[in-house]
Amino acid sequence: MNKDFAVIGLGRFGGSICRELSKEGMHVLAIDSDEERINEYKNIAYHTVLADSTDEDALKQIGISNFDHVVVAIGENIQASILTAVILTDMGVNKITVKAQNDYHEKILNKIGVHQVVHPERDMGKRLAHNFISSNILDYLELSDDHSIVEVKAGEKMIGKSLIELDIRANFGCNIVAIKKGHDINVSPSAEQALQEGDVLIVIGADKDITRFERELVID
């Protein structure tokens, strides 16, 4: 099931989130006060809006409270970031993630009550985008322009089935390189091994194949 996202601020970080979520088939509303940036994302995002996110009436007109997840990726303007976060919190947005500029900014955001604070220097846009889509996607590492390795929790469709039954390599073109059970890791799992709730799979493959695998088996 697709989620509806809104990304406020289309700089390097917000743009990365917007591009990746859109690529994964999510509905993304891109918001910025810069017309050039809005024009840049018109053919990328599901919808774009030129707006000042510190204007509560403007956000109400957009219907921002109806979105599943709002990402505030405003750049250097900490005051605008904080005010936007306050407005979104007051409006009862389901999930709010805000980019912090520094530790002081993070402390204020936590006091406001946002759900997630991220630092772009520590949290890559692509990694976050996959985690936003499903909490079963634990980590995502880009190996090249079109290949990645992903760490995923076994989805409901996978539990109780063996690797040979799922046949992930034949069906999706991905390879299971290891399975983690708690603190133990099996780097050469048996094809007959049945997956259990809480198992974590480390999967490698082409991005397009990993996306198909995630949509079919990982995202509950």
Side-chain angles (χ1 to χ4, degrees), residues 35-85:
E35 191 169 1
E36 282 187 20
R37 284 182 176 169
I38 286 296
N39 290 335
E40 182 183 345
Y41 283 86
K42 275 186 175 174
N43 294 324
I44 297 169
Y46 186 76
H47 191 51
T48 56
V49 171
L50 180 67
D52 176 2
S53 64
T54 64
D55 183 340
E56 186 172 357
D57 289 336
L59 292 183
K60 283 180 179 176
Q61 286 179 5
I62 291 167
I64 202 79
S65 60
N66 297 322
F67 285 80
D68 299 307
H69 194 156
V70 179
V71 181
V72 181
I74 295 170
E76 299 296 322
N77 193 336
I78 291 178
Q79 183 176 327
S81 169
I82 292 169
L83 184 53
T84 300

mmCIF file of all heavy atoms in Angstrom, residues 35-85:
data_model
loop_
_atom_site.group_PDB
_atom_site.id
_atom_site.type_symbol
_atom_site.label_atom_id
_atom_site.label_comp_id
_atom_site.label_asym_id
_atom_site.label_seq_id
_atom_site.Cartn_x
_atom_site.Cartn_y
_atom_site.Cartn_z
ATOM 1 N N GLU A 35 10.693 29.091 -6.498
ATOM 2 C CA GLU A 35 10.003 28.659 -7.720
ATOM 3 C C GLU A 35 10.904 27.809 -8.613
ATOM 4 O O GLU A 35 10.432 26.866 -9.258
ATOM 5 C CB GLU A 35 9.491 29.879 -8.487
ATOM 6 C CG GLU A 35 8.543 29.515 -9.616
ATOM 7 C CD GLU A 35 7.840 30.719 -10.207
ATOM 8 O OE1 GLU A 35 8.105 31.862 -9.740
ATOM 9 O OE2 GLU A 35 7.041 30.533 -11.132
ATOM 10 N N GLU A 36 12.200 28.120 -8.673
ATOM 11 C CA GLU A 36 13.121 27.342 -9.512
ATOM 12 C C GLU A 36 13.179 25.889 -9.052
ATOM 13 O O GLU A 36 13.181 24.965 -9.866
ATOM 14 C CB GLU A 36 14.523 27.962 -9.478
ATOM 15 C CG GLU A 36 14.666 29.196 -10.349
ATOM 16 C CD GLU A 36 16.109 29.682 -10.436
ATOM 17 O OE1 GLU A 36 17.022 28.882 -10.164
ATOM 18 O OE2 GLU A 36 16.306 30.855 -10.775
ATOM 19 N N ARG A 37 13.239 25.692 -7.745
ATOM 20 C CA ARG A 37 13.278 24.322 -7.218
ATOM 21 C C ARG A 37 11.974 23.591 -7.489
ATOM 22 O O ARG A 37 11.982 22.407 -7.835
ATOM 23 C CB ARG A 37 13.574 24.349 -5.713
ATOM 24 C CG ARG A 37 15.027 24.629 -5.396
ATOM 25 C CD ARG A 37 15.271 24.606 -3.909
ATOM 26 N NE ARG A 37 16.686 24.787 -3.602
ATOM 27 C CZ ARG A 37 17.162 25.008 -2.389
ATOM 28 N NH1 ARG A 37 16.316 25.082 -1.361
ATOM 29 N NH2 ARG A 37 18.452 25.161 -2.183
ATOM 30 N N ILE A 38 10.873 24.293 -7.343
ATOM 31 C CA ILE A 38 9.573 23.682 -7.632
ATOM 32 C C ILE A 38 9.513 23.231 -9.087
ATOM 33 O O ILE A 38 9.069 22.122 -9.399
ATOM 34 C CB ILE A 38 8.430 24.671 -7.312
ATOM 35 C CG1 ILE A 38 8.252 24.804 -5.800
ATOM 36 C CG2 ILE A 38 7.116 24.245 -7.964
ATOM 37 C CD1 ILE A 38 7.812 23.525 -5.100
ATOM 38 N N ASN A 39 9.971 24.069 -9.992
ATOM 39 C CA ASN A 39 9.980 23.715 -11.415
ATOM 40 C C ASN A 39 10.856 22.499 -11.686
ATOM 41 O O ASN A 39 10.543 21.668 -12.535
ATOM 42 C CB ASN A 39 10.450 24.901 -12.252
ATOM 43 C CG ASN A 39 9.428 26.030 -12.290
ATOM 44 O OD1 ASN A 39 8.236 25.791 -12.114
ATOM 45 N ND2 ASN A 39 9.889 27.256 -12.504
ATOM 46 N N GLU A 40 11.962 22.397 -10.952
ATOM 47 C CA GLU A 40 12.892 21.268 -11.117
ATOM 48 C C GLU A 40 12.238 19.938 -10.761
ATOM 49 O O GLU A 40 12.549 18.901 -11.345
ATOM 50 C CB GLU A 40 14.126 21.496 -10.237
ATOM 51 C CG GLU A 40 15.182 20.417 -10.357
ATOM 52 C CD GLU A 40 16.357 20.639 -9.413
ATOM 53 O OE1 GLU A 40 16.486 21.767 -8.867
ATOM 54 O OE2 GLU A 40 17.138 19.691 -9.208
ATOM 55 N N TYR A 41 11.304 19.973 -9.795
ATOM 56 C CA TYR A 41 10.705 18.721 -9.305
ATOM 57 C C TYR A 41 9.305 18.441 -9.856
ATOM 58 O O TYR A 41 8.677 17.470 -9.456
ATOM 59 C CB TYR A 41 10.687 18.725 -7.766
ATOM 60 C CG TYR A 41 12.061 18.424 -7.210
ATOM 61 C CD1 TYR A 41 12.991 19.440 -7.023
ATOM 62 C CD2 TYR A 41 12.446 17.120 -6.923
ATOM 63 C CE1 TYR A 41 14.267 19.175 -6.565
ATOM 64 C CE2 TYR A 41 13.713 16.838 -6.457
ATOM 65 C CZ TYR A 41 14.614 17.867 -6.278
ATOM 66 O OH TYR A 41 15.872 17.576 -5.818
ATOM 67 N N LYS A 42 8.850 19.266 -10.782
ATOM 68 C CA LYS A 42 7.505 19.067 -11.339
ATOM 69 C C LYS A 42 7.349 17.721 -12.034
ATOM 70 O O LYS A 42 6.268 17.135 -12.022
ATOM 71 C CB LYS A 42 7.166 20.209 -12.310
ATOM 72 C CG LYS A 42 6.594 21.432 -11.594
ATOM 73 C CD LYS A 42 6.129 22.494 -12.555
ATOM 74 C CE LYS A 42 5.458 23.638 -11.783
ATOM 75 N NZ LYS A 42 5.100 24.763 -12.636
ATOM 76 N N ASN A 43 8.415 17.242 -12.649
ATOM 77 C CA ASN A 43 8.340 15.962 -13.351
ATOM 78 C C ASN A 43 8.880 14.807 -12.516
ATOM 79 O O ASN A 43 9.032 13.684 -13.016
ATOM 80 C CB ASN A 43 9.120 16.046 -14.668
ATOM 81 C CG ASN A 43 8.490 17.021 -15.645
ATOM 82 O OD1 ASN A 43 7.270 17.135 -15.718
ATOM 83 N ND2 ASN A 43 9.320 17.750 -16.385
ATOM 84 N N ILE A 44 9.177 15.071 -11.247
ATOM 85 C CA ILE A 44 9.707 14.032 -10.357
ATOM 86 C C ILE A 44 8.671 13.670 -9.295
ATOM 87 O O ILE A 44 8.332 12.503 -9.117
ATOM 88 C CB ILE A 44 11.020 14.501 -9.690
ATOM 89 C CG1 ILE A 44 12.092 14.743 -10.760
ATOM 90 C CG2 ILE A 44 11.494 13.487 -8.649
ATOM 91 C CD1 ILE A 44 13.334 15.450 -10.249
ATOM 92 N N ALA A 45 8.184 14.687 -8.583
ATOM 93 C CA ALA A 45 7.199 14.467 -7.521
ATOM 94 C C ALA A 45 5.802 14.259 -8.100
ATOM 95 O O ALA A 45 5.516 14.658 -9.227
ATOM 96 C CB ALA A 45 7.202 15.651 -6.558
ATOM 97 N N TYR A 46 4.934 13.632 -7.321
ATOM 98 C CA TYR A 46 3.538 13.417 -7.721
ATOM 99 C C TYR A 46 2.827 14.758 -7.870
ATOM 100 O O TYR A 46 1.993 14.948 -8.742
ATOM 101 C CB TYR A 46 2.858 12.551 -6.657
ATOM 102 C CG TYR A 46 1.458 12.129 -6.994
ATOM 103 C CD1 TYR A 46 1.222 11.112 -7.926
ATOM 104 C CD2 TYR A 46 0.365 12.726 -6.361
ATOM 105 C CE1 TYR A 46 -0.069 10.716 -8.226
ATOM 106 C CE2 TYR A 46 -0.927 12.330 -6.659
ATOM 107 C CZ TYR A 46 -1.140 11.320 -7.595
ATOM 108 O OH TYR A 46 -2.423 10.932 -7.896
ATOM 109 N N HIS A 47 3.189 15.706 -6.993
ATOM 110 C CA HIS A 47 2.587 17.036 -7.037
ATOM 111 C C HIS A 47 3.565 18.023 -6.408
ATOM 112 O O HIS A 47 4.319 17.664 -5.500
ATOM 113 C CB HIS A 47 1.257 17.038 -6.280
ATOM 114 C CG HIS A 47 0.445 18.286 -6.478
ATOM 115 N ND1 HIS A 47 0.146 18.797 -7.728
ATOM 116 C CD2 HIS A 47 -0.123 19.131 -5.589
ATOM 117 C CE1 HIS A 47 -0.583 19.896 -7.586
ATOM 118 N NE2 HIS A 47 -0.751 20.131 -6.296
ATOM 119 N N THR A 48 3.589 19.250 -6.869
ATOM 120 C CA THR A 48 4.464 20.280 -6.303
ATOM 121 C C THR A 48 3.645 21.512 -5.934
ATOM 122 O O THR A 48 2.651 21.829 -6.596
ATOM 123 C CB THR A 48 5.573 20.702 -7.298
ATOM 124 O OG1 THR A 48 4.957 21.133 -8.517
ATOM 125 C CG2 THR A 48 6.540 19.562 -7.580
ATOM 126 N N VAL A 49 4.069 22.186 -4.869
ATOM 127 C CA VAL A 49 3.380 23.398 -4.426
ATOM 128 C C VAL A 49 4.404 24.448 -4.023
ATOM 129 O O VAL A 49 5.335 24.155 -3.257
ATOM 130 C CB VAL A 49 2.441 23.115 -3.226
ATOM 131 C CG1 VAL A 49 1.900 24.418 -2.647
ATOM 132 C CG2 VAL A 49 1.296 22.210 -3.636
ATOM 133 N N LEU A 50 4.236 25.644 -4.550
ATOM 134 C CA LEU A 50 5.067 26.787 -4.154
ATOM 135 C C LEU A 50 4.406 27.413 -2.933
ATOM 136 O O LEU A 50 3.304 27.954 -3.015
ATOM 137 C CB LEU A 50 5.144 27.797 -5.302
ATOM 138 C CG LEU A 50 5.979 29.052 -5.071
ATOM 139 C CD1 LEU A 50 7.457 28.709 -4.955
ATOM 140 C CD2 LEU A 50 5.763 30.053 -6.211
ATOM 141 N N ALA A 51 5.061 27.300 -1.769
ATOM 142 C CA ALA A 51 4.439 27.793 -0.541
ATOM 143 C C ALA A 51 5.482 28.070 0.527
ATOM 144 O O ALA A 51 6.574 27.503 0.516
ATOM 145 C CB ALA A 51 3.423 26.775 -0.019
ATOM 146 N N ASP A 52 5.101 28.930 1.468
ATOM 147 C CA ASP A 52 5.908 29.223 2.648
ATOM 148 C C ASP A 52 5.397 28.323 3.770
ATOM 149 O O ASP A 52 4.259 28.471 4.227
ATOM 150 C CB ASP A 52 5.742 30.701 3.020
ATOM 151 C CG ASP A 52 6.471 31.079 4.305
ATOM 152 O OD1 ASP A 52 7.141 30.205 4.894
ATOM 153 O OD2 ASP A 52 6.361 32.251 4.718
ATOM 154 N N SER A 53 6.224 27.407 4.226
ATOM 155 C CA SER A 53 5.772 26.424 5.215
ATOM 156 C C SER A 53 5.563 27.015 6.602
ATOM 157 O O SER A 53 5.017 26.349 7.487
ATOM 158 C CB SER A 53 6.770 25.262 5.299
ATOM 159 O OG SER A 53 8.025 25.720 5.764
ATOM 160 N N THR A 54 6.000 28.264 6.815
ATOM 161 C CA THR A 54 5.742 28.912 8.109
ATOM 162 C C THR A 54 4.374 29.606 8.122
ATOM 163 O O THR A 54 3.993 30.198 9.125
ATOM 164 C CB THR A 54 6.842 29.941 8.443
ATOM 165 O OG1 THR A 54 6.813 31.004 7.475
ATOM 166 C CG2 THR A 54 8.220 29.296 8.431
ATOM 167 N N ASP A 55 3.660 29.508 7.015
ATOM 168 C CA ASP A 55 2.313 30.081 6.891
ATOM 169 C C ASP A 55 1.304 28.960 7.175
ATOM 170 O O ASP A 55 1.072 28.085 6.341
ATOM 171 C CB ASP A 55 2.118 30.640 5.489
ATOM 172 C CG ASP A 55 0.763 31.312 5.290
ATOM 173 O OD1 ASP A 55 -0.161 31.029 6.083
ATOM 174 O OD2 ASP A 55 0.631 32.099 4.340
ATOM 175 N N GLU A 56 0.720 28.986 8.363
ATOM 176 C CA GLU A 56 -0.187 27.921 8.776
ATOM 177 C C GLU A 56 -1.384 27.782 7.841
ATOM 178 O O GLU A 56 -1.806 26.666 7.514
ATOM 179 C CB GLU A 56 -0.667 28.183 10.211
ATOM 180 C CG GLU A 56 -1.498 27.043 10.778
ATOM 181 C CD GLU A 56 -1.807 27.221 12.254
ATOM 182 O OE1 GLU A 56 -1.315 28.214 12.844
ATOM 183 O OE2 GLU A 56 -2.526 26.380 12.804
ATOM 184 N N ASP A 57 -1.914 28.897 7.390
ATOM 185 C CA ASP A 57 -3.072 28.855 6.485
ATOM 186 C C ASP A 57 -2.719 28.163 5.172
ATOM 187 O O ASP A 57 -3.527 27.409 4.623
ATOM 188 C CB ASP A 57 -3.588 30.273 6.201
ATOM 189 C CG ASP A 57 -4.264 30.891 7.419
ATOM 190 O OD1 ASP A 57 -4.734 30.121 8.279
ATOM 191 O OD2 ASP A 57 -4.315 32.132 7.515
ATOM 192 N N ALA A 58 -1.498 28.429 4.685
ATOM 193 C CA ALA A 58 -1.060 27.793 3.435
ATOM 194 C C ALA A 58 -0.985 26.277 3.605
ATOM 195 O O ALA A 58 -1.409 25.514 2.716
ATOM 196 C CB ALA A 58 0.296 28.345 3.018
ATOM 197 N N LEU A 59 -0.469 25.821 4.743
ATOM 198 C CA LEU A 59 -0.361 24.382 4.991
ATOM 199 C C LEU A 59 -1.745 23.747 5.143
ATOM 200 O O LEU A 59 -1.962 22.614 4.709
ATOM 201 C CB LEU A 59 0.484 24.117 6.238
ATOM 202 C CG LEU A 59 1.974 24.466 6.127
ATOM 203 C CD1 LEU A 59 2.707 24.098 7.409
ATOM 204 C CD2 LEU A 59 2.630 23.764 4.940
ATOM 205 N N LYS A 60 -2.665 24.479 5.743
ATOM 206 C CA LYS A 60 -4.034 23.969 5.882
ATOM 207 C C LYS A 60 -4.697 23.816 4.516
ATOM 208 O O LYS A 60 -5.389 22.828 4.255
ATOM 209 C CB LYS A 60 -4.857 24.898 6.772
ATOM 210 C CG LYS A 60 -4.556 24.744 8.256
ATOM 211 C CD LYS A 60 -5.402 25.701 9.089
ATOM 212 C CE LYS A 60 -5.124 25.521 10.570
ATOM 213 N NZ LYS A 60 -5.863 26.501 11.406
ATOM 214 N N GLN A 61 -4.458 24.796 3.633
ATOM 215 C CA GLN A 61 -5.036 24.739 2.286
ATOM 216 C C GLN A 61 -4.477 23.556 1.505
ATOM 217 O O GLN A 61 -5.189 22.929 0.714
ATOM 218 C CB GLN A 61 -4.748 26.040 1.550
ATOM 219 C CG GLN A 61 -5.598 27.213 2.033
ATOM 220 C CD GLN A 61 -5.283 28.512 1.302
ATOM 221 O OE1 GLN A 61 -4.488 28.527 0.369
ATOM 222 N NE2 GLN A 61 -5.904 29.599 1.732
ATOM 223 N N ILE A 62 -3.216 23.249 1.725
ATOM 224 C CA ILE A 62 -2.589 22.099 1.057
ATOM 225 C C ILE A 62 -3.185 20.793 1.578
ATOM 226 O O ILE A 62 -3.206 19.785 0.879
ATOM 227 C CB ILE A 62 -1.056 22.115 1.299
ATOM 228 C CG1 ILE A 62 -0.414 23.287 0.557
ATOM 229 C CG2 ILE A 62 -0.400 20.802 0.873
ATOM 230 C CD1 ILE A 62 1.016 23.562 0.975
ATOM 231 N N GLY A 63 -3.713 20.823 2.818
ATOM 232 C CA GLY A 63 -4.229 19.601 3.446
ATOM 233 C C GLY A 63 -3.109 18.768 4.024
ATOM 234 O O GLY A 63 -3.151 17.533 3.989
ATOM 235 N N ILE A 64 -2.102 19.428 4.590
ATOM 236 C CA ILE A 64 -0.892 18.745 5.054
ATOM 237 C C ILE A 64 -1.183 17.704 6.136
ATOM 238 O O ILE A 64 -0.481 16.699 6.250
ATOM 239 C CB ILE A 64 0.151 19.787 5.562
ATOM 240 C CG1 ILE A 64 1.572 19.205 5.536
ATOM 241 C CG2 ILE A 64 -0.202 20.304 6.935
ATOM 242 C CD1 ILE A 64 2.209 19.195 4.193
ATOM 243 N N SER A 65 -2.239 17.924 6.925
ATOM 244 C CA SER A 65 -2.545 16.981 8.011
ATOM 245 C C SER A 65 -3.054 15.640 7.495
ATOM 246 O O SER A 65 -3.137 14.667 8.257
ATOM 247 C CB SER A 65 -3.565 17.597 8.978
ATOM 248 O OG SER A 65 -4.766 17.913 8.297
ATOM 249 N N ASN A 66 -3.379 15.565 6.210
ATOM 250 C CA ASN A 66 -3.876 14.315 5.628
ATOM 251 C C ASN A 66 -2.749 13.388 5.176
ATOM 252 O O ASN A 66 -3.010 12.238 4.807
ATOM 253 C CB ASN A 66 -4.782 14.607 4.429
ATOM 254 C CG ASN A 66 -6.033 15.382 4.829
ATOM 255 O OD1 ASN A 66 -6.599 15.140 5.891
ATOM 256 N ND2 ASN A 66 -6.461 16.315 3.993
ATOM 257 N N PHE A 67 -1.514 13.874 5.207
ATOM 258 C CA PHE A 67 -0.397 13.051 4.731
ATOM 259 C C PHE A 67 0.081 12.090 5.818
ATOM 260 O O PHE A 67 0.049 12.409 7.008
ATOM 261 C CB PHE A 67 0.756 13.944 4.256
ATOM 262 C CG PHE A 67 0.493 14.597 2.923
ATOM 263 C CD1 PHE A 67 -0.305 15.729 2.833
ATOM 264 C CD2 PHE A 67 1.017 14.059 1.758
ATOM 265 C CE1 PHE A 67 -0.583 16.314 1.605
ATOM 266 C CE2 PHE A 67 0.762 14.635 0.521
ATOM 267 C CZ PHE A 67 -0.041 15.766 0.445
ATOM 268 N N ASP A 68 0.520 10.911 5.378
ATOM 269 C CA ASP A 68 1.006 9.901 6.327
ATOM 270 C C ASP A 68 2.293 10.345 7.002
ATOM 271 O O ASP A 68 2.537 10.015 8.166
ATOM 272 C CB ASP A 68 1.254 8.561 5.602
ATOM 273 C CG ASP A 68 -0.010 8.009 4.981
ATOM 274 O OD1 ASP A 68 -1.004 7.879 5.720
ATOM 275 O OD2 ASP A 68 -0.010 7.716 3.773
ATOM 276 N N HIS A 69 3.136 11.061 6.262
ATOM 277 C CA HIS A 69 4.474 11.395 6.770
ATOM 278 C C HIS A 69 4.919 12.703 6.128
ATOM 279 O O HIS A 69 4.880 12.847 4.914
ATOM 280 C CB HIS A 69 5.439 10.259 6.396
ATOM 281 C CG HIS A 69 6.741 10.276 7.112
ATOM 282 N ND1 HIS A 69 7.507 9.135 7.294
ATOM 283 C CD2 HIS A 69 7.452 11.276 7.682
ATOM 284 C CE1 HIS A 69 8.608 9.450 7.951
ATOM 285 N NE2 HIS A 69 8.603 10.753 8.186
ATOM 286 N N VAL A 70 5.326 13.652 6.966
ATOM 287 C CA VAL A 70 5.829 14.929 6.464
ATOM 288 C C VAL A 70 7.296 15.064 6.858
ATOM 289 O O VAL A 70 7.653 14.909 8.033
ATOM 290 C CB VAL A 70 5.032 16.128 7.016
ATOM 291 C CG1 VAL A 70 5.612 17.437 6.487
ATOM 292 C CG2 VAL A 70 3.552 16.008 6.626
ATOM 293 N N VAL A 71 8.142 15.338 5.867
ATOM 294 C CA VAL A 71 9.578 15.505 6.089
ATOM 295 C C VAL A 71 9.917 16.982 5.939
ATOM 296 O O VAL A 71 9.676 17.572 4.884
ATOM 297 C CB VAL A 71 10.402 14.677 5.080
ATOM 298 C CG1 VAL A 71 11.898 14.838 5.350
ATOM 299 C CG2 VAL A 71 10.001 13.205 5.131
ATOM 300 N N VAL A 72 10.457 17.581 6.995
ATOM 301 C CA VAL A 72 10.872 18.983 6.954
ATOM 302 C C VAL A 72 12.380 19.007 6.710
ATOM 303 O O VAL A 72 13.165 18.663 7.581
ATOM 304 C CB VAL A 72 10.525 19.718 8.262
ATOM 305 C CG1 VAL A 72 10.949 21.181 8.175
ATOM 306 C CG2 VAL A 72 9.027 19.610 8.557
ATOM 307 N N ALA A 73 12.752 19.405 5.500
ATOM 308 C CA ALA A 73 14.166 19.374 5.095
ATOM 309 C C ALA A 73 14.667 20.779 4.774
ATOM 310 O O ALA A 73 15.455 20.974 3.857
ATOM 311 C CB ALA A 73 14.325 18.448 3.883
ATOM 312 N N ILE A 74 14.196 21.758 5.549
ATOM 313 C CA ILE A 74 14.596 23.152 5.328
ATOM 314 C C ILE A 74 16.075 23.303 5.635
ATOM 315 O O ILE A 74 16.575 22.772 6.631
ATOM 316 C CB ILE A 74 13.738 24.093 6.200
ATOM 317 C CG1 ILE A 74 12.277 24.023 5.735
ATOM 318 C CG2 ILE A 74 14.256 25.520 6.140
ATOM 319 C CD1 ILE A 74 11.296 24.716 6.668
ATOM 320 N N GLY A 75 16.774 24.056 4.788
ATOM 321 C CA GLY A 75 18.230 24.163 4.889
ATOM 322 C C GLY A 75 18.751 24.983 6.041
ATOM 323 O O GLY A 75 18.670 24.592 7.202
ATOM 324 N N GLU A 76 19.285 26.166 5.746
ATOM 325 C CA GLU A 76 19.997 26.960 6.747
ATOM 326 C C GLU A 76 19.075 27.698 7.723
ATOM 327 O O GLU A 76 19.509 28.109 8.796
ATOM 328 C CB GLU A 76 20.889 27.996 6.042
ATOM 329 C CG GLU A 76 21.962 27.380 5.141
ATOM 330 C CD GLU A 76 22.973 26.560 5.921
ATOM 331 O OE1 GLU A 76 23.339 26.974 7.043
ATOM 332 O OE2 GLU A 76 23.387 25.497 5.425
ATOM 333 N N ASN A 77 17.826 27.884 7.372
ATOM 334 C CA ASN A 77 16.928 28.705 8.179
ATOM 335 C C ASN A 77 16.337 27.891 9.338
ATOM 336 O O ASN A 77 15.261 27.293 9.226
ATOM 337 C CB ASN A 77 15.815 29.272 7.294
ATOM 338 C CG ASN A 77 15.037 30.372 7.986
ATOM 339 O OD1 ASN A 77 14.992 30.440 9.211
ATOM 340 N ND2 ASN A 77 14.407 31.232 7.198
ATOM 341 N N ILE A 78 17.052 27.870 10.458
ATOM 342 C CA ILE A 78 16.620 27.083 11.619
ATOM 343 C C ILE A 78 15.287 27.590 12.164
ATOM 344 O O ILE A 78 14.425 26.802 12.561
ATOM 345 C CB ILE A 78 17.713 27.100 12.715
ATOM 346 C CG1 ILE A 78 18.938 26.305 12.245
ATOM 347 C CG2 ILE A 78 17.184 26.524 14.025
ATOM 348 C CD1 ILE A 78 20.093 26.291 13.222
ATOM 349 N N GLN A 79 15.105 28.909 12.157
ATOM 350 C CA GLN A 79 13.854 29.482 12.661
ATOM 351 C C GLN A 79 12.661 28.977 11.859
ATOM 352 O O GLN A 79 11.635 28.596 12.431
ATOM 353 C CB GLN A 79 13.924 31.007 12.612
ATOM 354 C CG GLN A 79 12.686 31.689 13.187
ATOM 355 C CD GLN A 79 12.816 33.208 13.217
ATOM 356 O OE1 GLN A 79 13.912 33.729 13.400
ATOM 357 N NE2 GLN A 79 11.706 33.909 13.040
ATOM 358 N N ALA A 80 12.798 28.951 10.540
ATOM 359 C CA ALA A 80 11.703 28.465 9.681
ATOM 360 C C ALA A 80 11.446 26.983 9.928
ATOM 361 O O ALA A 80 10.299 26.527 9.937
ATOM 362 C CB ALA A 80 12.046 28.709 8.214
ATOM 363 N N SER A 81 12.518 26.224 10.134
ATOM 364 C CA SER A 81 12.395 24.791 10.406
ATOM 365 C C SER A 81 11.616 24.557 11.697
ATOM 366 O O SER A 81 10.697 23.733 11.751
ATOM 367 C CB SER A 81 13.790 24.163 10.509
ATOM 368 O OG SER A 81 13.716 22.851 11.020
ATOM 369 N N ILE A 82 11.977 25.281 12.746
ATOM 370 C CA ILE A 82 11.320 25.116 14.049
ATOM 371 C C ILE A 82 9.855 25.541 13.980
ATOM 372 O O ILE A 82 8.963 24.825 14.467
ATOM 373 C CB ILE A 82 12.067 25.912 15.134
ATOM 374 C CG1 ILE A 82 13.453 25.286 15.378
ATOM 375 C CG2 ILE A 82 11.270 25.964 16.436
ATOM 376 C CD1 ILE A 82 14.376 26.135 16.225
ATOM 377 N N LEU A 83 9.588 26.681 13.349
ATOM 378 C CA LEU A 83 8.210 27.169 13.240
ATOM 379 C C LEU A 83 7.349 26.193 12.441
ATOM 380 O O LEU A 83 6.204 25.906 12.811
ATOM 381 C CB LEU A 83 8.188 28.560 12.605
ATOM 382 C CG LEU A 83 6.818 29.248 12.499
ATOM 383 C CD1 LEU A 83 6.118 29.279 13.856
ATOM 384 C CD2 LEU A 83 6.975 30.657 11.943
ATOM 385 N N THR A 84 7.907 25.668 11.362
ATOM 386 C CA THR A 84 7.182 24.677 10.552
ATOM 387 C C THR A 84 6.858 23.443 11.389
ATOM 388 O O THR A 84 5.741 22.923 11.346
ATOM 389 C CB THR A 84 8.009 24.280 9.316
ATOM 390 O OG1 THR A 84 8.259 25.436 8.511
ATOM 391 C CG2 THR A 84 7.283 23.236 8.482
ATOM 392 N N ALA A 85 7.848 22.988 12.169
ATOM 393 C CA ALA A 85 7.652 21.807 13.021
ATOM 394 C C ALA A 85 6.559 22.057 14.059
ATOM 395 O O ALA A 85 5.736 21.173 14.333
ATOM 396 C CB ALA A 85 8.960 21.430 13.704
#
